Amino acid sequence: MRTDITQGSPTVATSAASAAFQVAVVQQKQFEETLERVSEKQIQAVKENIRKAERVDDVVDVNKAEKTLASNKTESSVSESSESSDPPVAESIGSKVNVSV
C-alpha cells in the first residue's frame, strides 16, 4: 500500500490549514460580537431595574400612609386621654356645702 497517495499534496494541506485558521478567526469575531451584544443588553437591563427601583422609591402608597396616620392619631388620642384624665380629686372632709331648699 502506498502512503503518498492517501496523504495528498503539501499544498492542499497548507491551504486546508489556512482555511481552518480563517474559519477560526471568523468564529472568534462572531463570538466577540455576540458577547458584546449580550453585555450591552445586560447593562440595559440593569439600568432599567435601577430606574424601576428608583420609581418605586418615589411612589408613596396613600393607603399605607393613611393607615399609619390613623394609627398615629389613635396612639396620640390614647396617650392624651390618659394624660388629661387625672383621677378626680377627693373633696376634703368638712368642706362647706351650699344646699338650697
Side-chain angles (χ1 to χ4, degrees), residues 5-94:
I5 296 173
T6 58
Q7 288 182 348
S9 70
T11 306
V12 172
T14 304
S15 64
S18 176
F21 179 75
Q22 288 174 352
V23 167
V25 168
V26 169
Q27 287 177 338
Q28 179 67 29
K29 285 182 182 178
Q30 290 174 340
F31 179 73
E32 289 173 357
E33 290 171 358
T34 302
L35 283 179
E36 187 175 327
R37 284 193 304 268
V38 168
S39 176
E40 288 173 2
K41 286 184 180 182
Q42 286 177 338
I43 289 171
Q44 289 175 351
V46 167
K47 286 180 181 178
E48 182 68 19
N49 285 341
I50 290 171
R51 189 177 63 79
K52 285 180 182 178
E54 288 173 350
R55 191 178 330 142
V56 167
D57 290 343
D58 291 342
V59 172
V60 175
D61 185 3
V62 176
N63 293 331
K64 186 177 180 181
E66 288 176 353
K67 288 177 185 176
T68 304
L69 182 60
S71 77
N72 287 345
K73 283 184 179 178
T74 304
E75 288 176 9
S76 65
S77 65
V78 168
S79 64
E80 287 176 3
S81 64
S82 66
E83 291 174 2
S84 64
S85 62
D86 295 328
V89 178
E91 294 183 19
S92 60
I93 299 174

